[in-house]
């Protein structure tokens, strides 16, 4: 969902499959007859969350020049960057996430006009928000 939201280049490979399994979401590996659980609480364990956060942050840090979404947002005010990324990932629910991300970014003394690589970092922050984890 994160890769689709930001149009990130994502190629399935063994590393990604291992990260998915560590995040509690092994691909095509759920036992029958029920398959993958539908209830969100089954994915909220500390190990699963940490694995998912690490995977999402790493995925969002795509190499510079490979994500048109990031290039288009580079050099804009952080509030605009976070708002656009929040909307892409979460729709209308992204506004609250974007405000929090922009505020934390600013309070940390980060660039008020993030470059392309920093836009990727902000994207990772958006993807680790609880709202994205339960969407």
């Amino acid at each position: 969902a994160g890769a689709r939201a930001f149009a990130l280049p994502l190629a399935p490979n063994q590393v990604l499959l291992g990260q998915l399994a560590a995040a509690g979401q092994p691909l095509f590996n759920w036992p029958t007859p029920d398959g993958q659980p539908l209830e969100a609480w089954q994915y909220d364990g500390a190990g699963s969350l940490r694995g998912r956060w690490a995977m999402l942050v790493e995925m969002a840090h795509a190499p510079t020049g490979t994500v048109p979404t990031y290039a288009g947002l580079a050099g804009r005010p952080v509030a605009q960057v976070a708002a656009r990324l929040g909307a892409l990932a979460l729709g209308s629910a992204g506004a609250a996430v974007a405000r929090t991300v922009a505020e934390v970014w600013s309070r940390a003394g980060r660039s008020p006009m993030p470059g392309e690589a920093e836009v990727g970092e902000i994207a990772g922050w958006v993807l680790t928000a609880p709202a994205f984890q339960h969407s």
Side-chain angles (χ1 to χ4, degrees), residues 7 16 18 24 29 35 42 45 47 54 56 62 65 75 80-81 86 100-101 103 107 114 129:
L16 178 61
N29 200 23
Q42 297 202 38
L56 290 168
Q80 286 181 9
V81 171
T100 300
V101 167
E103 183 178 325
R107 285 186 181 190

Side-chain angles (χ1 to χ4, degrees), residues 6-90:
F6 303 143
L8 300 174
L10 184 67
N13 56 42
Q14 286 302 98
V15 173
L16 178 61
L17 295 177
Q19 289 174 326
L20 283 168
Q25 298 181 348
L27 191 60
F28 304 118
N29 200 23
W30 290 97
T32 57
D34 296 337
Q36 186 171 349
L38 299 176
E39 299 83 18
W41 66 267
Q42 297 202 38
Y43 302 101
D44 286 346
S48 293
L49 279 174
R50 186 185 181 306
R52 217 165 32 254
W53 290 338
M55 179 182 61
L56 290 168
V57 167
E58 181 179 333
M59 179 182 68
H61 282 96
T64 301
T66 62
V67 184
T69 304
Y70 294 176
L73 292 171
R76 294 188 183 183
V78 68
Q80 286 181 9
V81 171
R84 181 66 184 139
L85 294 172
L88 287 171
L90 294 160

